[in-house]
Structure formats: C-alpha cells, structure tokens
Amino acid sequence: MEKYGQYRDKGSGIAPFFPVPPLPYNPLFLPFYILLLCLRVPLVTVAWILWLLIFQWTPAGGALRKANLWCILGIPGVWWIDIQVDGVRRGSLAQTPRGRLPGPATIIASSFTSPLDVLYLAAIFDPVFTISQGPDSRLVRPVSLEAALAACFDVHSPAVFHARQPPATLSSVIKQYRNRVIVVFPEATTSNGRGILRLSPSLLSATRDTKIFPVSLRYTPQDIVTPIPGWMEALRFVWLLNSRPTHCIRVRIGTPVTLASAGAPANSHTTGNSNGKRASGYDTNFFDTLEGSPAPKASEESAVAEGVSEQEIKALDAVADTLARLGRAKRVGLGVAEKKQFVDAWSKRGKYRT
C-alpha cells in the first residue's frame, strides 16, 4: 500500500478515501440476504418513483413528503436512530429549547459520507441542499434531492449536476428560502468517515449572525459509506444497504456557531470566489476522546490562503473541530484535490483492498 501513502494524512496516518471493507457474510445466511435484497429493492424503487412523480412537488415540510422519505429509509432497514444534541441530556430531546436545533434561516454543516446523509436530513428537516461550487470557492449551488444524492457518487465539479439555480452565496440562498433550513457539505466530497477533510470556504459566504449547526452522521455497520465514486460503488451501496436486516444512524448535533462568534471579520460573506489554495493547516489533528475533551486550537503554522483571512480560517476551524468531536474522528489535511488524484490511482487498481 506504499503507493497510496501520499493519500494518508501525514500527521495521523488516516486514509479517508479508502472504501470500508464490508463485514463478512455468513454463507449459511446468504439466501436470506439475497431474499431481503429481492424484496426491498422493488419497494424502494416504487417509493422513489412516487417521490419523483408526486411527492417532491408537494409543499415543503408536508407530512406526505416526509412520510415518503421515511419509507425510502425504512424499507432497507434504517430503523434505529441514535440522536443526541450538545448540551441536552439523553432522554430529554423533547424538551430541547428551540434555538438548539436547526430551524428556518439556519445552516446545517453536515458530514458527508453516504447517500443516507442526504435522505436522513431530508426526512427530518426537508431542507434546501447546496453543493459547494469548488474546494476553493465561497459559492454554493442549490440542488435538488436527486442531485445531492448523485454528488455522493461523483468527485467532479457540481456543475455537472442538474442544479436548479446558478451559483450563489449562502446569504442570498437564505434570503430566497427564508422558511427553510439550508444544508451545506463543507468537505465538498464524500469520505469514509474516519477523518474530517479540509473544509471549503463556502460557509464564509453566510452572514455573520447566521447560526451554523455542525451535524455528524455515522452508521453501523460502517461499510455503507461511499468514498469512491462511480456506478459500481452505487451498486455496492445498494447491495450492502438492502441485504442487511437493520442499520443504525448515530446523529450528533453540535452547539450552533456564527461567523461573528468564531472570529470571522465583518466582510466574511463577500460574494467573490477564493481561488487560492490553503496550505495544509491541519498537521495538528483533533482527537475526540470518549470524555469529550474540548477541541484544541488549530495549528499555529496554518497558512492563510489568498482571499481567506486568518480570522476566517479560525471560523472554519471552529466548525471542523466540532465535526471532529461529534464524529469522534480526526481532522486531516486532505481535500477534494487529493481525492481526485486518489480516485485516478484507485481506478487503475481494479480491486478493492484496504
């Protein structure tokens, strides 16, 4: 595996782009797994067709929309949801103050590892999904649910997706959808969940007082993540999702932050693109201990990219640190550019092996 050494984080040795090997199947139960697949795939297909033809055109937040999305999740066995909110005691979620959960005109900065991220967030919040215009751009593209799912299997520019609107800043997207939650995937591409990738500056296009909720989603079994793009990976995901009896989602919602509280300057929501690339500023990685120790400061050796000030980097660091703590992961100095190189090298290999 030495030839893939450059795609591991130098500080921790984590390889965030490798596919997670599936759990071994018991050959005695293989007919049962195949039966589950044959029963579930047609039902999910019917539910998805109903979404495309009927329910996606109903009013946002409606019960029919959410019921249809929960069917798409529930049929493959995604029944167990372990949800926890920062600062809220376990078992008292119903008494959570309104400001501690994402609501209209707020932003969810979500981890990005699997299509289930998109489906779960859609079923709970019915948000407006956005895809970062690029790893060095402050702009985002509002996209449909289908395009957000497609982004899980494509590492290239989101311009190829059937976006409904041109690129825009998050502040303008919030103005347009005042009654909706806005979802951003700040890592700009999927990983295997073992590390938090270098964040794009798209979050910096929000206003200074907009609440940003870091949200981490993790799965058991862990092999339903999709770090490798392509239709073969999509088929692999369908098999692993539908052949298992049940799946569990571990959801952690962090304390909201704003660019003002995180230290970003007043002009942090400018509309221009940031075309400069930030040097590796994640050599000091954050490890979330089980005791939930506070996140350390970012490396003092962080370089400031062109068009992204040191204060803005601190704002991105605050979000990344929270995602790392919630997901019990480390931050890594790899991003979209490194993933594209890895995918090119991996596609020549022709065989899964980790």
Side-chain angles (χ1 to χ4, degrees):
M1 297 300 293
E2 286 78 7
K3 69 175 181 178
Y4 297 108
Q6 66 268 34
Y7 306 114
R8 292 182 180 272
D9 179 61
K10 294 180 180 179
S12 63
I14 292 175
F17 307 134
F18 285 78
V20 177
L23 295 177
Y25 281 89
N26 189 331
L28 296 178
F29 292 97
L30 186 59
F32 172 68
Y33 300 143
I34 296 176
L35 176 63
L36 283 179
L37 178 75
C38 294
L39 292 176
R40 287 171 168 175
V41 169
L43 293 176
V44 172
T45 302
V46 171
W48 183 246
I49 292 174
L50 290 176
W51 166 264
L52 294 176
L53 297 180
I54 301 175
F55 295 115
Q56 71 165 323
W57 310 111
T58 59
L64 292 177
R65 285 170 63 97
K66 292 190 175 183
N68 179 259
L69 291 170
W70 274 115
C71 286
I72 296 175
L73 280 172
I75 292 172
V78 185
W79 299 333
W80 304 101
I81 312 294
D82 175 22
I83 183 170
Q84 188 172 340
V85 181
D86 266 358
V88 177
R89 290 186 305 170
R90 187 179 295 273
S92 58
L93 187 62
Q95 288 76 40
T96 303
R98 186 174 182 179
R100 303 299 291 272
L101 293 174
T106 63
I107 295 173
I108 291 177
S110 174
S111 59
F112 200 22
T113 61
S114 170
L116 292 183
D117 298 339
V118 178
L119 291 174
Y120 177 79
L121 293 174
I124 294 295
F125 300 105
D126 201 2
V128 174
F129 289 100
T130 64
I131 299 295
S132 298
Q133 176 68 6
D136 304 309
S137 174
R138 296 175 185 246
L139 302 181
V140 297
R141 279 182 178 268
V143 298
S144 63
L145 173 64
E146 309 88 80
L149 290 172
C152 299
F153 301 102
D154 199 305
V155 72
H156 299 288
S157 170
V160 302
F161 301 132
H162 45 96
R164 293 175 174 174
Q165 297 181 14
T169 61
L170 282 173
S171 58
S172 62
V173 173
I174 291 176
K175 289 180 181 179
Q176 184 175 359
Y177 301 97
R178 295 181 182 273
N179 298 322
R180 306 279 296 278
V181 179
I182 309 299
V183 169
V184 179
F185 299 108
E187 295 172 278
T189 188
T190 54
S191 71
N192 59 17
R194 293 176 177 173
I196 300 300
L197 305 181
R198 187 169 57 242
L199 303 191
S200 74
S202 57
L203 288 174
L204 299 176
S205 65
T207 57
R208 285 171 51 81
D209 57 348
T210 299
K211 288 185 177 181
I212 301 174
F213 289 83
V215 175
S216 172
L217 297 100
R218 293 293 182 265
Y219 304 97
T220 304
Q222 300 178 7
D223 53 17
I224 53 175
V225 296
T226 57
I228 302 295
W231 66 272
M232 287 296 296
E233 184 69 13
L235 293 178
R236 177 176 180 267
F237 170 78
V238 170
W239 160 254
L240 293 174
L241 179 66
N242 289 278
S243 62
R244 296 272 173 72
T246 60
H247 300 272
C248 177
I249 304 180
R250 176 181 174 272
V251 184
R252 297 295 182 264
I253 301 177
T255 302
V257 299
T258 63
L259 296 181
S261 64
N267 61 349
S268 64
H269 56 280
T270 56
T271 59
N273 290 351
S274 174
N275 295 321
K277 293 185 178 180
R278 176 185 171 184
S280 178
Y282 297 96
D283 294 334
T284 301
N285 292 287
F286 170 80
F287 181 71
D288 175 34
T289 62
L290 294 179
E291 292 78 18
S293 59
K297 297 294 184 181
S299 171
E300 295 297 332
E301 299 178 357
S302 298
V304 179
E306 180 183 356
V308 181
S309 70
E310 185 175 357
Q311 290 178 317
E312 290 174 327
I313 289 178
K314 289 181 179 179
L316 293 178
D317 285 343
V319 176
D321 284 341
T322 303
L323 286 174
R325 175 176 60 82
L326 297 174
R328 296 180 179 176
K330 291 185 178 182
R331 295 173 58 186
V332 298
L334 305 174
V336 176
E338 291 79 8
K339 180 175 177 178
K340 289 180 179 179
Q341 297 172 6
F342 171 79
V343 170
D344 290 339
W346 186 265
S347 62
K348 299 176 183 178
R349 192 165 184 251
K351 182 178 180 181
Y352 286 135
R353 182 182 171 188
T354 56

